[in-house]
Amino acid sequence: MSTDQPPPGGQPPEDDPFFKKPQDGPTPPPPPPPPGGSPYGAPAGGSPYGDPPQGSSPYGGNAPPPPYSGGAADPLAGMPPLAPTGKRLVARIVDALIVGIPMSLLGWLIGSFEGYNGNWDDISDQGNGKSLLWQLITMIVYVGYDTYMTSRKNGQTVGKRLMGLRVAMLNSGTVPETRASLMRAVVLWVPALICCFCIWWLINLVMILVDKPYKQGLHDKAAKTVVVSAT
């Protein structure tokens, strides 16, 4: 056993394994995380699983147009041109005749016009079963025609296809789904066929003329649709 003792007041020998020399300067901090990202390696500004790609709108761009998206200052930015009122009117007359002529022939065959004196409302005022049945069938056919044609892949009735127009959802430009197409058709046709055919069409025409900026009739307001150029 060694009896050597360290010199009093002296320093431990440099080869002493328990002697720790002080390091020069303060301990450096750990390296910072990557700029804008997570210390675990997540991409900057996004999810570690990656952001989904943005879809494109039929109106153009990557976001739906106003008013529901609150995007551009110009509410018509990115949209196709709105349909001219004259073309819309011609398209509606064409569609009305496509359904109206066959239904009028059916009404004449089953005797629904007996006692009719030139007043449209007299058809429903007669109160006989034939006229009421004809009126109900006519309403169903008009609503069904408009709903089916508008909710198809191109959003066009026969009249709108002839005029180069189509119906689109205001918030995205897509073809209306069946629910929206049905709402649009019901608001357009049911009041007209129940009591006030000419007055209801006139109200909708005035609404289209004065509505800004989307030229929507009451049926468009109800379904949140617009009529735009298809070309």
Side-chain angles (χ1 to χ4, degrees), residues 60-199:
N62 292 325
Y68 304 110
S69 66
D74 179 5
L76 300 177
M79 289 178 61
L82 294 173
T85 303
K87 285 189 173 184
R88 289 188 67 171
L89 182 59
V90 172
R92 181 57 61 195
I93 292 174
V94 170
D95 291 328
L97 292 176
I98 287 175
V99 178
I101 291 175
M103 295 308 301
S104 296
L105 291 175
L106 176 63
W108 176 74
L109 290 174
I110 66 176
S112 297
F113 299 135
E114 294 176 0
Y116 177 63
N117 59 7
N119 186 350
W120 179 271
D121 291 336
D122 285 346
I123 297 177
S124 58
D125 291 340
Q126 293 174 22
N128 63 68
K130 291 181 180 180
S131 63
L132 292 177
L133 177 62
W134 177 83
Q135 188 178 24
L136 178 61
I137 294 175
T138 300
M139 189 183 306
I140 292 174
V141 173
Y142 269 115
V143 171
Y145 168 82
D146 229 87
T147 300
Y148 173 73
M149 298 297 288
T150 302
S151 62
R152 294 177 62 192
K153 62 180 181 179
N154 54 12
Q156 295 176 307
T157 60
V158 174
K160 286 183 173 60
R161 185 161 62 249
L162 291 175
M163 292 293 104
L165 311 176
R166 70 181 181 92
V167 181
M169 296 302 297
L170 177 58
N171 65 334
S172 63
T174 57
V175 173
E177 296 182 353
T178 301
R179 183 176 180 179
S181 298
L182 177 61
M183 173 64 71
R184 191 176 189 274
V186 166
V187 174
L188 176 65
W189 288 110
V190 171
L193 296 176
I194 287 180
C195 63
C196 43
F197 186 84
C198 293
I199 294 176

